[in-house]
Amino acid sequence: MPGKTVRIAREKRRHHGDRPVLLAIAGDSAAGKTTLTAGLVEALGPERCVSLCTDDYHRYDRRERRELPFTALHPQCNYIEIMEQHLQLLATGQPILKPVYDHTTGELTRPVLVEPNDFVIVEGLFPLYTKLARACFDVTVFVDPPEEIRREWKTSRDTRKRGYTPEQVRAELDLREPESEAYIRPQRAHADIVVRFAPIPGRVDPPGTPLSAELTLRPTVPHPDLSEVLAPGINRAMHLRLGRDTDGRPVDVLHAHGYAARADSTAVEQRIWSSLGESGPGAPDCLGRITSELRSEPLAITQLMLLYHLLCAAR
Amino acid sequence: MPGKTVRIAREKRRHHGDRPVLLAIAGDSAAGKTTLTAGLVEALGPERCVSLCTDDYHRYDRRERRELPFTALHPQCNYIEIMEQHLQLLATGQPILKPVYDHTTGELTRPVLVEPNDFVIVEGLFPLYTKLARACFDVTVFVDPPEEIRREWKTSRDTRKRGYTPEQVRAELDLREPESEAYIRPQRAHADIVVRFAPIPGRVDPPGTPLSAELTLRPTVPHPDLSEVLAPGINRAMHLRLGRDTDGRPVDVLHAHGYAARADSTAVEQRIWSSLGESGPGAPDCLGRITSELRSEPLAITQLMLLYHLLCAAR
C-alpha cells in the first residue's frame, strides 16, 4: 500500500509543519488548467508557490512521437512512475530535478531544480492517474469543459503559441480522442472538485458574456459553508443545488453565472474571502483574469473556492 | 540520521532480495575510474549492470562555468542533494530520471531513465562526499594515482576526446587544485579500498611495462583471505604487507607488480577467482584491459578484488 505510506509520511510531517500543500489540476489539453493556476499563484504570492506541469514527464519528444502508435495522452508516452516519485518527494518536502518539455519546440531539454514551497500546484494530463499520485495531494480538481469549447480553445492556443495549423490541431484532436476517453477523462472520478466552464443551455447572452462555471463539489473534502453567501438578495450571481454526480453519488453543485453583474459577483467573492478569515482589502484582483483585458467572475469564484481549500490545508 | 534510515531500508530490502549492490568509484578527474568500471561491467555482464557517472549532476554547463568563481570540482557546482536522492532511490531498488552532462559539447541535455539492476556502479568526483551518499554503497573505492601521472592522463584524454588544448588542460588543472584538495581528496578517507597505480619507486622497467597497483585494504569490509594466493612460489606477481594508513589506522597493503610475468599474475588471478566459488573457465578475459591493444595485470587483479566484493555483497 504505497499510497498509504505516502499519506502517513505526509501526516507525520504535517505535525512538524514542514510539508507543502499540494493541489492537482487535472484535465485534457487546453481545458483551462494554466489560466486557473496563474490566478492562484498570483493570489497566494509567487514567492510561496511552485507550479509545475506534468507534460514535462513526456517520455518522447515531438519528432519521436510521430513514429509511435500512440499520442502524448497515452501513459506509455510519459514517465508515469517518475512523475509519481517526484510528486511523493515534493509532497514530503524534498526537492526534485524536474525534466523539461519545451512546448514551443517540442523538445526535451535540460532539467531544472524544483524546491517545494508552501504551495505546490501540479497541473497536467496525468496528476490523478494513479493511486500513488493521488495520495500526494491535499485537494484535487478536474477541469472538464464541453468538448466543443475545449476544441476551440486548443485550436486557438496551438496555432498561436505552438506553431501548428488549424488542420493539424483538428487531426491531432481526433487522433487523441480514444486516449482522452481511456486515460484522461476517467481521472474526473478522483477529483474533489470538478470545474466546468460552459454557456448555460438555452440562454442567449450578448457577445462577450463570460462562460458560466459549474462546480461539482464532492463530499471528499470539507467545502466552505455557502449558506450565508447564498442568502436571498445576492444569489443572482450564483446558486447551489443538491445533485447526483454522473455516477449517482450525491454532490453539491455550485453554479456561478457568467451573465451576473460584476457587483453581484464581487459581493459573493468578498463573502467567501471573509469566510477564509483573511484580513486585508479583500479578494485579490488577480482572480478571474483570463488575459490582461479579459476577466470572468465565474473564474474568480472558482479560484476563490480553490484558494479556500489551499489556505485551510495550510493551517 | 538519514544515513542510518537508508541503511535500515536497504537491509530490509536485502532480506527480500530486491535491492541492487552498489559500488562507488570516487576519484579526481582522469584518475582511471572509467577504465576500472568498464572491465567490471563486462565481467559481471552488461545485462546485470548499470553504471553511471556523477559528473551528470553538474549544475552548470561549460559556458556557464566560465563565469563562475569555482570549478566543476566545487560542491556548489553540482546538484549534490539530488545526487544523494538518486543514490538512495537506486540503492532501494527504484528508478531515477538521471540528468545528462555531455562531456563532448559541455552541455546539459535531456535526462534519461535509469532502472536499478543487480549491480549499480557509480563513478565520479563526489560519490563519497556526503554521509548520506556513502550510506547507499556496499563497497567504496577511491582511485588515487600520483598527481604527475593523473595530469598526464588528463592531458591525453581531454585533448583527444574533449576538444581542449594541452595549455587549457594544464590551466584547468592548476585552477582546480585547491578544490581537489578541499573536496575530492578527502573522500579517500571513506573508501574501503584505495587504488593507486604507480611505478615502483627506484625501479627502472623497460618501456611498456604496466604500472604497478597498490591497494590499501581497510578493515571496513571483509577482504578475501589471500594467504593461499601469496603462498611461496607465486608471490613474484604480488605481495601483501601490514601497514599504517596516512592517518595511522592499520591496513593491509596489497602490491601487484607491473613487471611480473603474465603467467605469474594469471596464477594469482585464478586463485582469487576460485576463492569466489565461481565455476567456469576462469577469470574473465576482459579484466585488465586498458585499450583493445593494451592490458595490465595489476589492473586485472584490482578489478578481481572489486568483483569479489560485488559478488559477495550480492549473495
Side-chain angles (χ1 to χ4, degrees):
Chain A
M1 268 185 286
K4 196 163 278 183
T5 312
V6 175
R7 285 191 191 278
I8 292 166
R10 297 200 77 210
E11 277 313 307
K12 278 189 187 161
R13 279 180 171 260
R14 184 211 206 26
H15 292 302
H16 293 96
D18 62 352
R19 69 156 183 82
V21 169
L22 265 75
L23 167 69
I25 302 185
D28 214 331
S29 182
K33 304 182 294 290
T34 309
T35 308
L36 204 52
T37 302
L40 290 174
V41 170
E42 207 180 326
L44 291 164
E47 70 289 352
R48 299 169 71 194
C49 287
V50 158
S51 71
L52 58 99
C53 178
T54 63
D55 292 355
D56 287 323
Y57 293 86
H58 282 344
R59 191 184 281 259
Y60 307 103
D61 64 20
R62 196 178 290 163
R63 196 182 45 76
E64 290 164 341
R65 288 203 305 272
R66 285 196 200 110
E67 312 296 319
L68 295 171
F70 43 72
T71 78
L73 269 63
H74 198 293
Q76 279 186 39
C77 202
N78 293 271
Y79 289 119
I80 297 287
E81 199 181 348
I82 297 293
M83 180 196 78
E84 283 180 339
Q85 181 188 85
H86 285 192
L87 290 176
Q88 287 173 74
L89 288 164
L90 290 171
T92 52
Q94 296 168 77
I96 58 166
L97 197 60
K98 187 186 65 62
V100 174
Y101 177 75
D102 182 338
H103 271 293
T104 313
T105 62
E107 283 172 2
L108 290 157
T109 60
R110 141 187 197 174
V112 294
L113 186 71
V114 174
E115 297 188 87
N117 211 327
D118 294 347
F119 299 98
V120 179
I121 303 178
V122 180
E123 51 124 334
L125 298 167
F126 289 106
L128 303 180
Y129 182 66
T130 70
K131 196 168 174 179
L132 186 50
R134 296 193 292 270
C136 298
F137 293 103
D138 297 88
V139 192
T140 57
V141 174
F142 188 84
V143 188
D144 186 31
E147 271 299 279
E148 63 278 13
I149 288 180
R150 187 177 75 82
R151 288 179 77 103
E152 249 173 60
W153 287 347
K154 185 162 171 69
T155 309
S156 161
R157 182 196 64 191
D158 288 2
T159 52
R160 276 186 302 118
K161 296 193 182 161
R162 300 185 181 176
Y164 290 91
T165 66
E167 294 67 38
Q168 282 175 322
V169 181
R170 273 193 292 273
E172 181 69 19
L173 277 162
D174 293 341
L175 196 62
R176 286 178 169 206
E177 172 49 30
E179 292 169 11
S180 281
E181 190 187 354
Y183 308 115
I184 310 303
R185 294 203 286 268
Q187 293 177 65
R188 184 186 184 282
H190 301 292
D192 300 314
I193 301 174
V194 178
V195 178
R196 186 178 184 85
F197 287 97
I200 298 170
R203 207 187 140 91
V204 183
D205 284 313
T209 304
L211 295 172
S212 293
E214 181 189 282
L215 307 190
T216 301
L217 308 175
R218 296 220 177 90
T220 45
V221 288
H223 296 285
D225 178 2
L226 295 167
S227 52
E228 246 192 82
V229 169
L230 300 173
I234 55 167
N235 65 4
R236 279 173 298 177
M238 62 194 252
H239 72 265
L240 188 72
R241 67 174 176 79
L242 191 63
R244 284 199 184 280
D245 202 353
T246 44
D247 61 2
R249 287 185 294 179
V251 289
D252 267 319
V253 184
L254 182 69
H255 291 269
H257 302 140
Y259 60 80
R262 175 144 189 210
D264 288 340
S265 297
T266 310
V268 176
E269 290 162 24
Q270 293 308 345
R271 293 278 189 116
I272 304 181
W273 184 249
S274 316
S275 79
L276 268 170
E278 290 290 316
S279 58
D285 265 359
C286 56
L287 300 178
R289 193 180 297 152
I290 300 174
T291 66
S292 51
E293 287 92 39
L294 272 178
R295 58 173 289 128
S296 148
E297 298 317 315
L299 172 62
I301 288 167
T302 303
Q303 287 169 325
L304 260 173
M305 287 293 290
L306 301 186
L307 215 47
Y308 172 91
H309 284 291
L310 288 171
L311 293 170
C312 287
R315 269 170 203 155
Chain B
M1 265 183 288
K4 196 163 278 183
T5 312
V6 176
R7 285 192 192 277
I8 292 166
R10 297 200 78 210
E11 278 312 308
K12 278 187 186 163
R13 280 180 171 263
R14 185 210 204 29
H15 291 303
H16 294 95
D18 62 352
R19 71 158 183 81
V21 170
L22 264 77
L23 166 69
I25 301 184
D28 214 333
S29 182
K33 305 182 294 290
T34 308
T35 307
L36 203 51
T37 303
L40 290 174
V41 170
E42 206 179 326
L44 291 164
E47 70 290 352
R48 299 169 70 193
C49 285
V50 158
S51 71
L52 59 100
C53 177
T54 64
D55 292 355
D56 287 322
Y57 293 86
H58 283 343
R59 190 184 283 260
Y60 306 104
D61 64 21
R62 195 179 289 163
R63 196 181 46 74
E64 289 164 342
R65 288 204 304 273
R66 286 197 199 110
E67 312 296 319
L68 295 172
F70 43 73
T71 77
L73 268 64
H74 198 291
Q76 278 185 41
C77 203
N78 293 272
Y79 289 120
I80 297 288
E81 198 181 348
I82 298 292
M83 180 196 79
E84 283 180 338
Q85 181 189 86
H86 286 191
L87 290 176
Q88 286 172 73
L89 288 164
L90 290 171
T92 52
Q94 296 167 78
I96 58 165
L97 197 59
K98 188 184 66 61
V100 174
Y101 176 74
D102 182 337
H103 271 293
T104 313
T105 62
E107 284 172 3
L108 290 156
T109 60
R110 139 187 199 175
V112 294
L113 186 72
V114 174
E115 296 188 88
N117 211 327
D118 294 348
F119 300 97
V120 178
I121 303 179
V122 180
E123 51 126 331
L125 298 167
F126 289 106
L128 302 180
Y129 182 66
T130 69
K131 196 168 174 179
L132 185 50
R134 296 193 291 271
C136 298
F137 293 103
D138 297 270
V139 192
T140 57
V141 175
F142 188 84
V143 188
D144 186 33
E147 271 299 278
E148 65 277 13
I149 288 180
R150 188 178 73 83
R151 289 179 76 103
E152 247 173 61
W153 286 349
K154 186 164 171 67
T155 309
S156 159
R157 182 196 62 190
D158 289 1
T159 52
R160 277 185 303 117
K161 294 192 183 164
R162 299 187 180 176
Y164 291 91
T165 66
E167 294 68 36
Q168 282 174 323
V169 182
R170 273 194 291 274
E172 181 69 19
L173 276 162
D174 293 341
L175 196 63
R176 286 177 171 207
E177 172 49 30
E179 292 169 13
S180 280
E181 190 187 354
Y183 308 114
I184 310 304
R185 294 203 286 268
Q187 292 176 66
R188 184 186 184 283
H190 301 291
D192 300 314
I193 300 174
V194 178
V195 178
R196 187 177 183 87
F197 286 98
I200 297 171
R203 206 186 143 92
V204 182
D205 284 312
T209 304
L211 295 172
S212 293
E214 181 189 281
L215 306 191
T216 302
L217 308 175
R218 295 221 177 90
T220 45
V221 288
H223 297 286
D225 178 4
L226 295 167
S227 52
E228 245 192 85
V229 169
L230 299 174
I234 55 167
N235 66 2
R236 277 173 299 177
M238 61 194 253
H239 72 263
L240 186 71
R241 66 173 176 83
L242 191 62
R244 284 199 185 278
D245 202 351
T246 45
D247 61 3
R249 287 184 294 178
V251 289
D252 267 320
V253 184
L254 181 70
H255 291 269
H257 304 141
Y259 60 79
R262 176 144 190 210
D264 289 340
S265 297
T266 310
V268 176
E269 289 161 27
Q270 293 308 345
R271 293 278 189 117
I272 303 181
W273 184 248
S274 316
S275 79
L276 268 169
E278 290 290 315
S279 58
D285 264 358
C286 55
L287 300 179
R289 194 179 298 153
I290 301 175
T291 65
S292 52
E293 287 93 39
L294 272 177
R295 57 173 291 127
S296 148
E297 299 315 316
L299 173 62
I301 288 167
T302 304
Q303 287 169 325
L304 259 174
M305 288 293 287
L306 301 186
L307 214 47
Y308 173 90
H309 284 291
L310 288 170
L311 293 170
C312 287
R315 269 170 202 156

